[in-house]
């Protein structure tokens, strides 16, 4: 069995988290930040509080997200990197109403030297067990 050499190392953590930060800042009326954070073909799969699954290209949500002006706090729970692929487990906490928070798993690829979110899987905080905001 191969050992997991470097499994706890994330050499480009700052750059990965910076890409995710653009996603968070997009909720403050910054559609440009959303467009910069996500790959143009990125998808979202999300399960709401009632257990309903929605899925679509992330870009279909940019206008609504940017217009929401929610006070969101990004809580980076875990970052994993293996070369040019990474994932971030993110608490997407609604500072005005923690009960309306989400937990995301974001998949990223390093493309042309920049980290881009290529997929978002999310569950409502009520379905995120230990990862929900406290």
């Amino acid at each position: 069995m191969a050992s997991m050499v470097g499994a706890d190392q994330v050499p480009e953590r700052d750059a990965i988290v910076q890409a995710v930060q653009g996603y968070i800042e997009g909720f403050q009326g910054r559609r440009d930040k959303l467009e910069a954070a996500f790959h143009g073909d990125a998808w979202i799969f999300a399960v709401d509080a009632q257990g309903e699954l929605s899925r679509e290209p992330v870009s279909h949500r940019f206008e609504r997200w940017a217009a929401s002006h929610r006070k969101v706090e990004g809580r980076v729970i875990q970052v994993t990197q293996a070369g040019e692929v990474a994932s971030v487990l993110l608490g997407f906490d609604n500072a005005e109403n923690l009960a309306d928070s989400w937990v995301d798993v974001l998949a990223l690829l390093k493309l042309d030297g920049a980290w881009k979110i290529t997929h978002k899987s999310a569950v409502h905080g009520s379905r995120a067990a230990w990862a929900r905001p406290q």
Side-chain angles (χ1 to χ4, degrees):
M1 175 179 260
S3 66
M4 293 184 53
V5 175
D8 60 344
Q9 296 176 352
V10 184
E12 295 185 57
R13 185 183 195 286
D14 291 346
I16 294 164
V17 170
Q18 186 62 36
V20 171
Q21 185 63 34
Y23 155 51
I24 296 163
E25 291 172 9
F27 278 76
Q28 301 307 309
R30 297 292 308 268
R31 183 183 176 129
D32 62 316
K33 294 279 190 170
L34 293 166
E35 291 171 349
F38 285 91
H39 184 275
D41 293 324
W43 274 72
I44 179 174
F45 282 66
V47 177
D48 66 17
Q50 291 73 41
E52 294 295 319
L53 172 67
S54 63
R55 65 186 191 282
E56 65 186 328
V58 173
S59 61
H60 290 183
R61 296 187 179 202
F62 287 172
E63 185 173 332
R64 181 176 43 138
W65 286 352
S68 75
H69 291 279
R70 282 194 289 170
K71 292 184 179 173
V72 175
E73 294 176 5
R75 183 172 39 92
V76 176
I77 300 167
Q78 181 178 354
V79 180
T80 305
Q81 179 189 355
E84 296 182 356
V85 64
S87 66
V88 175
L89 181 61
L90 179 73
F92 198 79
D93 301 343
N94 182 338
E96 297 170 342
N97 179 8
L98 282 181
D100 187 28
S101 296
W102 293 78
V103 174
D104 301 345
V105 175
L106 304 171
L108 297 92
L109 291 174
K110 190 173 186 180
L111 303 167
D112 298 322
W115 288 98
K116 296 287 185 176
I117 303 169
T118 57
H119 181 83
K120 172 183 169 172
S121 290
V123 296
H124 189 267
S126 63
R127 297 177 163 276
W130 61 267
R132 73 177 175 266
Q134 300 302 317

